[in-house]
Amino acid sequence: MKQGQFITVEGGDGSGKSTNLSFVKQLLEKSNINIIITREPGGTVVAEKIRKLLLDKNEETISEQAELLLIFAARAQHIHHVIKPALAQGKWVLCDRFTDSTYAYQGGGRGMDGKLIELLEHKVQSGLTPDLTLLLDIPVMIGMNRVKKRADLDRFESEKKLFFEKVRSAYLTRAENNPQQIKVIDASQSLKKVQKDIVQILSVLTDRI
Ligand code: Z5A
């Protein structure tokens, strides 16, 4: 049975998820919370292999359906081996991306059927959803400029601006429809201001324990 809290960090490319994950962990550890950091796609040996398949530029193109199924295959492994056992032990789980990414990238970006995503979510997660999601929202061009400095762009990072506009818009629609779970943070602010907002949101959660 679930006991710990499940927190996810979401956002478009260059929104600062990686930068802020360890900040969130440190913050929660100050409140004596036992927390693990993990990520999607990935988090287990098999799921990390699937991640590599998804992110690498392969000779053979990956169809949209194969991409969606691979993401949920990785998620099934991750939930079974990492997320559920940790929550059952009373640990908090801090995850870099989860199913909101699927609604944003595959649903919004690729235009895949939201009903199919919902069906897979239902089957694979059996009701497991994040208690809190920090959505780092950033205008596409600002995010892209931050990421552009990287040497090699992966399969997703190589998509065009329109794809990321659709991703952002799908994220914001999800946040509008799930205001209790998804808290939107303006990630174009300075890091100091972003982290101030994070502290404020998390203080509500830690006050409840
Ligand atoms: N994907 C999917 O399609 N469907 C799914 O269901 C799931 C995932 C789960 C891998 O994700 C890909 O998988 C992802 C979607 C797809 N594709 N993309 N693209 P990932 O999380 O591993 O990859 P990512 O989105 O590229 O994240 P990242 O590499 O970790 O970047 P980030 O977390 O968004 O940003 P960052 O590395 O923390 O920051 C980028 C730079 O900006 C860095 O130099 C920072 O120092 C700087 N930065 C950060 N914050 C600030 C502020 N506030 N001001 C100025 N500069 C800043």
Side-chain angles (χ1 to χ4, degrees):
M1 208 179 67
K2 179 174 174 296
Q3 290 170 339
Q5 295 281 307
F6 183 26
I7 302 174
T8 58
V9 182
E10 295 279 358
D13 292 45
S15 58
K17 290 177 294 82
S18 309
T19 308
N20 287 299
L21 271 168
S22 50
F23 174 74
V24 171
K25 184 169 187 271
Q26 281 169 20
L27 210 62
L28 292 172
E29 281 173 343
K30 277 190 198 151
S31 301
N32 290 323
I33 290 165
N34 189 353
I35 185 157
I36 62 158
I37 287 194
T38 186
R39 69 172 179 182
E40 289 222 348
T44 79
V45 174
V46 169
E48 287 292 330
K49 286 186 182 169
I50 298 174
R51 177 188 177 91
K52 192 164 161 29
L53 262 180
L54 284 163
L55 266 58
D56 284 357
K57 291 175 184 159
N58 308 290
E59 283 167 35
E60 177 183 325
T61 55
I62 297 182
S63 74
E64 289 178 356
Q65 278 194 337
E67 180 178 283
L68 182 66
L69 293 171
L70 283 168
I71 285 166
F72 272 103
R75 185 159 297 140
Q77 286 296 108
H78 193 206
I79 290 172
H80 179 78
H81 289 289
V82 176
I83 300 178
K84 276 196 172 163
L87 292 174
Q89 287 167 25
K91 289 181 188 160
W92 286 35
V93 175
L94 177 59
C95 191
D96 187 344
R97 298 191 180 280
F98 195 62
T99 310
D100 288 303
S101 281
T102 316
Y103 282 104
Y105 284 79
Q106 282 63 50
R110 303 255 189 257
M112 293 194 77
D113 182 7
K115 292 269 174 244
L116 175 60
I117 300 175
E118 250 176 62
L119 178 73
L120 290 166
E121 178 184 25
H122 179 70
K123 293 279 178 204
V124 169
Q125 295 172 217
S126 311
L128 175 78
T129 52
D131 296 292
L132 174 71
T133 298
L134 302 172
L135 172 56
L136 297 171
D137 174 58
I138 192 161
V140 172
M141 282 319 290
I142 300 180
M144 283 178 103
N145 282 334
R146 285 185 189 169
V147 169
K148 211 161 59 182
K149 291 168 197 152
R150 288 181 191 158
D152 287 317
L153 298 183
D154 68 33
R155 209 170 61 83
F156 288 98
E157 288 166 346
S158 308
E159 290 287 346
K160 302 261 182 305
K161 182 171 176 267
L162 179 63
F163 174 87
F164 294 109
E165 294 287 5
K166 290 180 190 166
V167 168
R168 183 182 184 207
S169 150
Y171 264 136
L172 291 174
T173 303
R174 279 195 67 74
E176 241 176 73
N177 295 334
N178 305 280
Q180 284 296 105
Q181 177 209 322
I182 305 177
K183 306 295 176 194
V184 184
I185 295 167
D186 176 359
S188 67
Q189 303 177 102
S190 69
L191 190 55
K192 207 172 161 192
K193 284 198 179 136
V194 168
Q195 295 186 335
K196 198 173 162 216
D197 288 354
I198 291 176
V199 170
Q200 197 174 17
I201 292 166
L202 286 178
S203 65
V204 176
L205 194 67
T206 47
D207 278 353
R208 277 199 254 130
I209 55 167

